Amino acid sequence: VRRQFEEHRERYRIPAEYKVRMLQVRPKGDDVAAARTRAESALDRIGKGESFADVAKEMSDDSRAEAGGDWGWVNAELVRPVLRNTLRALEPGSTSSIVYADGVFYILHLEDKRVESEGTFETAQPMIEREMRQQQSEILYKAWIERLRARAYVKVFDAKL
């Protein structure tokens, strides 16, 4: 197990994570200008001291609006590149400017972040053991199938009868 960890350390690294709140404003139909105006209004309210969560509850168009736009801890590698770059540039407690991507206006608020780190053997050990058990299971399964095939006798009859 340790040898597997040492040989493949990069597989067991812990990616950067961000505790983020997100406000999304989607255009109604083709009215992108009105959506931009709504996003600017939301950002202005946040800038004047209103709580990001309260503004998100009222103005966000995404499924997490009721939770104040709370997305919890997000793996940086799983978000769109433009949002990932925005998150990386923010400091905890700060709010982004408006980000436009794929027809949606986003405003991000970073609550906290965990930097990328190299995984320890202790955190990787259960995963490595699971992978090794899976590999052994596959080997045993293939051997079992081969034994069944070697013992089986199959006769094919003419289907035209």
Side-chain angles (χ1 to χ4, degrees):
V1 176
R2 179 152 315 261
R3 187 176 79 235
Q4 172 73 7
F5 175 74
E6 295 299 333
E7 290 175 1
H8 302 283
R9 277 182 173 268
E10 70 282 350
R11 288 181 57 199
Y12 306 109
R13 69 179 179 75
I14 300 168
E17 292 182 314
Y18 299 89
K19 187 164 181 9
V20 64
R21 288 186 183 271
M22 190 179 317
L23 189 150
Q24 297 179 25
V25 179
R26 298 175 188 279
K28 308 274 191 257
D30 292 335
D31 199 355
V32 176
R36 180 159 195 61
T37 301
R38 282 183 53 224
E40 288 170 349
S41 171
L43 187 61
D44 186 51
R45 288 174 57 186
I46 293 164
K48 289 180 178 174
E50 272 191 70
S51 154
F52 188 96
D54 291 342
V55 176
K57 281 179 187 177
E58 182 182 328
M59 301 189 74
S60 186
D61 294 329
D62 78 328
S63 61
R64 304 202 182 180
E66 280 296 313
D70 187 3
W71 281 73
W73 287 99
V74 176
N75 180 335
E77 295 176 8
L78 300 180
V79 297
R80 293 184 173 121
V82 66
L83 298 179
R84 180 181 325 132
N85 294 338
T86 302
L87 284 172
R88 286 180 177 157
L90 292 174
E91 289 299 321
S94 63
T95 301
S96 73
S97 58
I98 297 170
V99 178
Y100 184 72
D102 300 321
V104 180
F105 294 96
Y106 296 91
I107 302 172
L108 307 173
H109 178 77
L110 183 64
E111 293 187 337
D112 199 3
K113 66 180 170 182
R114 298 178 187 148
V115 295
E116 182 175 320
S117 64
E118 191 170 302
T120 64
F121 175 73
E122 289 73 25
T123 59
Q125 185 175 2
M127 187 184 327
I128 295 169
E129 289 174 351
R130 195 170 35 254
E131 290 170 358
M132 293 175 92
R133 276 193 299 276
Q134 180 66 31
Q135 290 170 353
Q136 188 63 34
S137 294
E138 289 175 20
I139 290 168
L140 292 172
Y141 176 76
K142 287 178 183 178
W144 176 66
I145 293 295
E146 287 305 315
R147 285 193 310 273
L148 289 176
R149 284 186 179 148
R151 288 188 296 202
Y153 173 75
V154 179
K155 184 174 184 178
V156 179
F157 293 96
D158 189 359
K160 296 178 187 177
L161 296 176

